[in-house]
Amino acid sequence: MPSSPRLSLRAMAAFAATVEAGSIAGAARQLNIAASAVAAAVDQVEAEVGAALLVRTRAKGIAPTGEGRELAVRFRALLEDCDSVLEDARAGAATLSGHLRIGYYAPVAPAFLPGLLIPLQRANPGLEVTLTDCSADEAQAALLAGRLDLILFAAAPVRAGIVTRKLLDLPPYALAPLGHPITRGGATLADMAAYPLVLLDRPVAEPYVTALFRDRGLAPRIAARANTTEMVRSMVGAGAGLAVLNMRPRTDRSYAGDGLSAVPLSGDLPPIRLLLGRAEGRPKRAVAVVQDLLLAWAEGPKARELIVSQKG
């Protein structure tokens, strides 16, 4: 058995306005539409219900039956409820809410990501953020599996199904304790190779730094390995050796309070490229907003402050 056609909100509004105004002409003026459109809507409602709901008289215009009056009241309540739903939807669209899951490359993201996300959360109290430190492979796998919404990862083979945008190219620099001889001018990798090296032992950083020296025929002595930037900086500050890093934080002190210097390196040294990635398809609004926020930040002066430019 075929289902009955559904009434449009416009037809309900026309019927309710006719009952309230007492005439088709009055409803037409109220709704700012043609009287013929109101009459057609009233006829549609009556056809849908299968009964006459309005009594039409030449002298008194239109009078609703008891059923017609009750239906008009219910239509009006339904229309007001619909308006309320739309207002809530517009309010929801104006603010961000829900759960945003971001995977990040630990050696660089803590220098800027909190400073971008916290103001966004203050403006959108319903937005919850989970931040996960992960390698490029882990980040991409989690993104494609739906466990992450957005990833910040150092350049690696990008898997199918992921849309990427470049955030920053991060050239290498030498990290040294205050007063170290290498801080007196621009340094080279050959200069660094004369001193012990503290190696950041991360999936991208370790092979990157190793290749920098190896490709130039250099073999520095590895004095220590650490898998966090904070520990590398503290080891360097304590005098264990020098380090090669790619983004400087907004402090020249280690966790232990020792002074540190970021020394530009000369030579044509390849940078580490930091990428922003999301799954293909239309992103949810919070993902799109954070993506645009990060891209705008990467083009501005705050991002450049974290980069130690190469010499020469």
Side-chain angles (χ1 to χ4, degrees):
M1 181 177 178
S3 59
S4 298
R6 295 182 179 178
L7 291 173
S8 66
L9 293 176
R10 181 171 295 182
M12 295 180 192
F15 182 84
T18 299
V19 171
E20 293 162 359
S23 70
I24 287 176
R29 287 192 297 272
Q30 179 181 324
L31 300 174
N32 196 28
I33 60 176
S36 59
V38 175
V42 169
D43 291 342
Q44 183 186 358
V45 172
E46 291 185 317
E48 182 68 20
V49 173
L53 300 172
L54 302 176
V55 177
R56 298 162 174 83
T57 63
R58 286 182 177 271
K60 297 184 178 180
I62 287 178
T65 64
E67 186 179 5
R69 187 176 297 282
E70 181 183 353
L71 191 60
V73 170
R74 297 180 68 178
F75 278 175
R76 181 58 64 194
L78 183 62
L79 292 164
E80 290 174 354
D81 187 50
C82 181
D83 286 341
S84 177
V85 169
L86 289 174
E87 287 176 8
D88 290 343
R90 292 187 192 103
T95 60
L96 303 179
S97 61
H99 192 185
L100 182 64
R101 302 157 301 174
I102 301 175
Y104 67 93
Y105 181 54
V108 298
F112 62 87
L113 197 53
L116 295 174
L117 292 178
I118 299 309
L120 186 66
Q121 284 191 286
R122 286 175 179 158
N124 302 273
L127 181 65
E128 178 186 352
V129 176
T130 296
L131 303 173
T132 303
D133 167 17
C134 46
S135 70
D137 285 341
E138 292 169 340
Q140 293 186 77
L143 182 67
L144 292 172
R147 298 191 300 274
L148 292 174
D149 301 305
L150 199 65
I151 57 175
L152 294 148
F153 65 108
V158 178
R159 300 188 187 185
I162 296 178
V163 177
T164 62
R165 299 283 298 274
K166 185 191 85 170
L167 273 185
L168 296 170
D169 280 331
L170 304 169
Y173 67 91
L175 183 72
L178 283 181
H180 191 281
I182 209 171
T183 64
R184 294 169 191 160
T188 66
L189 287 176
D191 296 330
M192 292 190 69
Y195 300 95
L197 187 72
V198 179
L199 189 61
L200 178 58
D201 199 0
R202 301 278 303 194
V204 172
E206 190 275 338
Y208 167 79
V209 173
T210 300
L212 284 179
F213 286 98
R214 183 189 64 238
D215 293 349
R216 288 153 186 82
L218 302 171
R221 179 174 66 84
I222 306 300
R225 294 173 180 265
N227 65 359
T228 67
T229 307
E230 293 87 350
M231 185 57 75
V232 168
R233 287 172 57 82
S234 290
M235 291 292 287
V236 170
L242 306 176
V244 175
L245 296 176
N246 294 79
M247 179 178 277
R248 63 178 170 192
R250 297 186 182 278
T251 176
D252 59 1
R253 294 281 170 179
S254 71
Y255 264 26
D258 296 309
L260 296 165
S261 292
V263 183
L265 287 170
S266 61
D268 186 18
L269 304 177
I272 283 181
R273 174 159 289 184
L274 185 63
L275 298 176
L276 178 64
R278 62 171 178 82
E280 287 182 344
R282 185 176 180 179
K284 64 182 182 181
R285 187 164 177 268
V287 171
V289 168
V290 173
Q291 173 184 271
D292 292 346
L293 187 67
L294 283 163
L295 291 171
W297 168 82
E299 294 293 328
K302 293 295 184 182
R304 290 192 290 273
E305 291 172 2
L306 303 179
I307 297 174
V308 181
S309 298
Q310 291 186 36
K311 286 278 189 178

